[in-house]
Amino acid sequence: MKEKILHKASEMFLNLGFKSVTMDDIASELGMSKKTIYSHFPTKLKLVQSTTFFVLDNVNEAICSILSADLNPIKEVFTIKSIVNNQLKNEKSSPHYQLQKYYPKIFKQLKDKQFESVNECVINNLKRGIDQGYYREEINIDLITRFYFSGNMSLTNNDIFPLNTYGMSELKDAYLEYHIRAIATEKGLQTLIKILKK
């Protein structure tokens, strides 16, 4: 039952936003009483927190399956972007931004946990990219990893990138192209151009 609530709540929060979805809305969608939801999640705050980490775990699981596919490093980052977009429903309701605005403590916890998982993933991607000749040898891996993470986080800021002007998928594509062009060798650029043409 708890898992069922998390699935439905995450779907609604991602599509409609954390602020606008009420416990009544979730109960109605699930065809159950609000009391049943409260027996598993005593407050909306607790449900938002549980849902946030439930979604993060699902995203991380999807990323792990891509990492095990042993794609070239540039193809890997674009594949991860597509899978994450799919998991987050293209962030139509800007969940990151709403989380930061209405649930700052949960947002801080999420950001810390995201950095932890993204950090390892990006470092491995950069190292493989250098070893395989896709990325330049002289790049500062620690610095690039931090640039990548902070840049990615800023894409969800509605003040900088209003959703009615910039689609999240296009925004992430443009950011990835920017990131790869900054670190790629000639071989990496040729690979990037092939991916962009597709």
Side-chain angles (χ1 to χ4, degrees), residues 24-194:
D24 282 314
D25 295 331
I26 296 165
S28 173
E29 279 289 316
L30 285 166
M32 63 175 62
S33 71
K34 204 161 58 165
K35 189 178 174 185
T36 306
I37 296 176
Y38 280 125
S39 70
H40 296 283
F41 305 97
T43 62
K44 183 181 176 185
L45 182 70
K46 191 67 187 165
L47 179 60
V48 167
Q49 184 181 42
S50 299
T51 304
T52 299
F53 291 102
F54 173 74
V55 170
L56 181 63
D57 288 343
N58 285 340
V59 166
N60 285 341
E61 200 175 296
I63 289 172
C64 284
S65 71
I66 295 163
L67 296 178
S68 65
D70 201 29
L71 303 169
N72 81 58
I74 296 174
K75 175 78 172 159
E76 182 178 272
V77 291
F78 276 91
T79 306
I80 287 171
K81 191 259 339 170
S82 297
I83 295 289
V84 170
N85 267 5
N86 190 42
Q87 292 266 341
L88 297 180
K89 321 286 185 200
N90 274 323
E91 302 184 62
K92 284 178 270 199
S93 64
S94 58
H96 256 90
Y97 187 68
Q98 286 199 8
L99 207 58
Q100 186 174 16
K101 189 172 180 182
Y102 301 112
Y103 302 96
K105 284 183 181 173
I106 297 173
F107 178 77
K108 170 78 169 70
Q109 292 170 344
L110 174 68
K111 201 167 82 167
D112 291 346
K113 196 163 182 193
Q114 269 184 314
F115 181 68
E116 201 178 286
S117 51
V118 168
N119 195 36
E120 187 181 343
C121 182
V122 175
I123 286 171
N124 288 338
N125 180 275
L126 292 172
K127 285 180 176 173
R128 282 197 313 112
I130 291 169
D131 289 344
Q132 294 174 21
Y134 291 96
Y135 305 147
R136 291 181 286 111
E137 286 182 9
E138 71 275 14
I139 62 171
N140 181 324
I141 289 177
D142 179 62
L143 203 53
I144 296 296
T145 301
R146 290 169 190 276
F147 284 163
Y148 181 78
F149 181 76
S150 60
N152 241 324
M153 291 299 286
S154 74
L155 299 181
T156 60
N157 186 327
N158 276 2
D159 293 330
I160 300 172
F161 301 108
L163 270 180
N164 56 355
T165 308
Y166 303 99
M168 189 53 70
S169 185
E170 294 77 16
L171 204 51
K172 286 188 174 179
D173 278 340
Y175 180 67
L176 273 185
E177 181 180 353
Y178 177 80
H179 167 69
I180 299 298
R181 284 188 183 277
I183 62 174
T185 59
E186 189 55 41
K187 176 183 174 180
L189 285 174
Q190 292 309 314
T191 304
L192 173 67
I193 289 162
K194 283 179 192 168

